[in-house]
Amino acid sequence: MRLSLSALLMIACGTHAALGQAAPVERPVPRFEQLEAEIGAANAAPGPRTVPAKVVPVPADTTSPQFRTAVAAPYRVPAWNANPPDAAAWKALVDRLAAAGAAALPALREKLGVTSEAAVIGGVKAFVIQPRQMPEANRNRLLLHIHGGGYVYNPGESGTLEAILMAGLGGYKVIAVDYRMPPDAPYPAAMDDATAVWRAMLTMQKPQNMAVFGTSTGGGMTLALMLRAKSEGLALPAAIGLGTPWSDMTETGDSYRTNEWLDNVLVSYSGYLTPAAKLYAAGRDLKDPQLSPIYGDFAGLPPAILITGTRDLFLSNTVRTHRKLRAAGIEASLQVFEGMSHAQYLFTPDAPETKEVFGEMARFFDSHLGR
């Protein structure tokens, strides 16, 4: 059976594509009058909200056909609930998913007209990714990309998916850092690598001509890098892009409960996120701003664009980060997409929603970066 690029990308990210699977059977919905009485009584006193068991339909009229397939897809097995028993098992799982992810990327690069070259920058492994036809306005601009994956997934080339999409859809030259990860290299290895690459990039281009971006873990690390660069006296970029950032490792926020089991990418914080956070933190306080940057000082950070979706388990992470940036006097644009689970724009390169995400971010960068 010949698979589409979208299907390969979903498989690469641990997602079951909808390949001939039967549609779920909808359960009968109780009459409103019955629910009104039962749920009204359950919520008559102040306290936690009780909600009825319900089937949430795929949004048919408010999402594109391409994106609707991703919204309807089953949970990302085995990625979302992985909890390998030891370091060897973790590495075997990560390597297997990374190989599948990397296999899908040459076709995507070709389709988007993008090149990728391995490099060592600041002593750290990286990839230089850029469009074959560079827009004139971006010739003296440079972006740093920090990939997601819960600090354990997407090593090597498999971590360049988002950078490829930004280069192809946004028209920017991107340096994607291949930072070290646990179980072999817990904190602070990843942040040391990201900082070393940023320090090296400051010798390549003016900071006012650069931006830093990433999704999920990459969004959290982007914020943490800003805090670290500020504390070390390094110049900050002109803008940052935060895709549904893992800005708080402490499972604090409303959507950790409201979107649990609805988000078909992360699904629940009790899945792989909990063991991954422990692997990365290696006993460190999860409220350390280098782990959970929401607890840091945002004063003086660059203008930011934030991306999330209505089904995103990290919706509250993104909203809280946006509000804290605003409270610090930072320009911040919050973009919320209909029906979107966590980072789902990365798995649907042909969907209008994905093009809109990277279009929004590219325009935001264009409005803040120098020429």
Side-chain angles (χ1 to χ4, degrees):
M1 176 170 58
R2 188 179 180 88
L3 300 182
S4 68
L5 177 60
S6 295
L8 283 169
L9 287 173
M10 287 192 283
I11 292 171
C13 296
T15 306
H16 286 313
L19 302 175
Q21 296 188 3
V25 177
E26 292 195 7
R27 294 173 292 175
V29 179
R31 294 177 58 197
F32 175 76
E33 292 80 1
Q34 177 186 343
L35 288 175
E36 181 184 25
E38 293 176 357
I39 303 304
N43 292 295
R49 291 280 73 84
T50 297
V51 298
K54 57 187 176 182
V55 173
V56 181
V58 176
D61 299 324
T62 55
T63 56
S64 69
Q66 301 97 317
F67 195 69
R68 209 170 300 144
T69 300
V71 176
Y75 294 158
R76 303 171 63 243
V77 176
W80 86 265
N81 59 350
N83 188 14
D86 53 40
W90 263 115
K91 288 189 281 190
L93 172 62
V94 168
D95 289 346
R96 176 163 63 86
L97 294 177
L105 297 184
L108 182 62
R109 290 196 300 266
E110 182 64 27
K111 181 174 183 177
L112 295 179
V114 168
T115 63
S116 176
E117 294 183 6
V120 175
I121 298 174
V124 177
K125 293 180 181 178
F127 294 85
V128 179
I129 299 163
Q130 56 189 322
R132 289 192 177 94
Q133 301 295 325
M134 179 70 68
E136 184 63 34
N138 292 339
R139 291 192 182 277
N140 293 316
R141 291 168 164 178
L142 184 61
L143 307 185
L144 170 61
H145 171 246
I146 306 176
H147 72 78
Y151 293 100
V152 291
Y153 293 133
N154 301 325
E157 186 181 356
S158 68
T160 64
L161 170 59
E162 185 178 18
I164 292 168
L165 291 170
M166 176 57 80
L169 299 176
Y172 284 93
K173 181 178 179 179
V174 182
I175 291 176
V177 55
D178 182 16
Y179 56 85
R180 291 168 294 162
M181 295 189 291
D184 290 339
Y187 177 85
M191 289 307 306
D192 288 347
D193 289 351
T195 304
V197 172
W198 176 245
R199 192 183 295 272
M201 288 174 64
L202 289 172
T203 69
M204 303 176 186
Q205 188 54 262
K206 299 175 182 177
Q208 60 265 33
N209 290 359
M210 295 195 290
V212 181
F213 74 105
T215 285
S216 192
T217 293
M221 285 183 63
T222 295
L223 281 169
L225 176 61
M226 297 302 99
L227 298 178
R228 179 162 169 175
K230 187 171 67 165
S231 70
E232 294 183 4
L234 297 176
L236 301 184
I240 54 176
L242 308 173
T244 175
W246 196 6
S247 55
D248 192 341
M249 283 186 157
T250 69
E251 198 181 358
T252 301
D254 196 45
S255 64
Y256 280 126
R257 293 291 172 262
T258 58
N259 282 344
E260 189 176 32
W261 307 110
L262 179 60
D263 182 326
N264 66 348
V265 177
L266 292 180
V267 187
S268 170
Y269 203 80
S270 297
Y272 95 96
L273 289 171
T274 295
K278 291 178 180 178
L279 270 179
Y280 180 66
R284 199 177 185 93
D285 182 0
L286 292 181
K287 284 194 173 182
D288 185 317
Q290 282 295 290
L291 300 177
S292 297
I294 193 73
Y295 300 106
D297 178 9
F298 284 7
L301 264 57
I305 182 170
L306 303 94
I307 309 292
T308 186
T310 58
R311 299 188 178 200
D312 188 357
L313 193 72
F314 283 5
L315 173 61
S316 288
N317 271 341
T318 313
V319 168
R320 291 173 62 217
T321 301
H322 175 254
R323 297 315 310 161
K324 181 154 185 175
L325 286 164
R326 296 287 296 162
I330 308 303
E331 178 189 346
S333 172
L334 176 62
Q335 305 290 322
V336 184
F337 284 79
E338 168 75 354
M340 184 181 287
S341 291
H342 182 72
Q344 211 148 36
Y345 50 87
L346 296 180
F347 315 140
T348 53
D350 294 327
E353 287 86 347
T354 296
K355 295 174 183 176
E356 191 174 348
V357 165
F358 287 96
E360 290 280 1
M361 194 171 291
R363 284 189 295 272
F364 188 85
F365 289 165
D366 183 63
S367 68
H368 291 86
L369 272 61
R371 302 289 180 179

